[in-house]
Amino acid sequence: MAAVAMTSAVAVGCSSGDTGDTADPAPSVSAPVEPVVEESAEPVEEEPSSAAPSPGPTLSMGGSAEFQSDDEGAGTTTLKVTVASAKYVTPADINTETQPSGEYVLLNLTVKNTGTKPAAFYSTGVSWESDAEAARVATTYGGAFNDASRLSTTYKPGQSATGTLVLDVGAKGGSLTFFRDSARVEPAVTVKLPK
């Protein structure tokens, strides 16, 4: 905390010649008092600018987890994600000639709003990474086998949907991270893929 000290200056009238007067010297004049701010030696604690987002729960096949969602502006509520299965497929398995940059994986999951307010789930913009490869977007393949548009929606309390995502991941294994928000800032849940 800063301390304030008060200072003042006094000027006394003088004469260079001797007038022979024995009277009191001229009256003193005081300068205005100005505050002086001194820095405190005590450190000032600052609030952290922003905490790192929580990574969210990590699921294996057959696992379920709940996470808090507040992206819809309706207030915080709870979504539950259950991962039923993951299966690697060839382009022929999903009726496409488009080759993946890594591997196609069919991820079957259920999303349910177990909270008391509407909440959005985002099945696009999913991030994939492994011990050997840095995080990258797991591209959502838009063929007939993909239920991304059904799963990426706003769920009212009690509503749920089950569907399969077709994702292009870098390789077998690794993990997929789904986010709480469309800006992909806060992780919601991570799914460990089989090798």
Side-chain angles (χ1 to χ4, degrees), residues 16-126:
S16 61
D18 185 8
T19 59
D21 286 78
T22 59
D24 290 335
S28 64
V29 178
S30 295
V33 175
E34 296 181 29
V36 174
V37 178
E38 297 176 2
E39 292 298 319
S40 170
E42 296 177 27
V44 177
E45 291 185 31
E46 295 181 16
E47 295 292 323
S49 58
S50 65
S54 165
T58 298
L59 302 174
S60 296
M61 296 304 107
S64 293
E66 292 185 333
F67 65 92
Q68 296 300 303
S69 174
D70 62 1
D71 193 51
E72 289 299 299
T76 301
T77 196
T78 305
L79 287 177
K80 180 180 181 178
V81 175
T82 302
V83 180
S85 64
K87 177 183 175 185
Y88 296 100
V89 295
T90 66
D93 293 334
I94 56 173
N95 298 325
T96 185
E97 293 180 13
T98 304
Q99 294 297 312
S101 63
E103 297 281 340
Y104 282 129
V105 63
L106 298 179
L107 183 69
N108 184 276
L109 51 90
T110 299
V111 179
K112 181 174 184 173
N113 184 337
T114 58
T116 59
K117 299 174 184 162
F121 179 77
Y122 301 94
S123 64
T124 57
V126 177

Side-chain angles (χ1 to χ4, degrees), residues 2-18:
V4 177
M6 304 296 271
T7 62
S8 64
V10 178
V12 178
C14 302
S15 169
S16 61
D18 185 8

Side-chain angles (χ1 to χ4, degrees), residues 133-182:
E133 294 187 48
R136 67 177 188 149
V137 173
T139 307
T140 306
Y141 174 73
F145 291 89
N146 198 350
D147 296 322
S149 62
R150 182 168 33 153
L151 293 170
S152 287
T153 191
T154 297
Y155 295 83
K156 293 178 183 172
Q159 289 183 330
S160 67
T162 297
T164 300
L165 298 175
V166 181
L167 301 167
D168 183 351
V169 298
K172 291 181 179 179
S175 60
L176 293 166
T177 300
F178 292 84
F179 294 88
R180 297 179 203 283
D181 56 340
S182 59

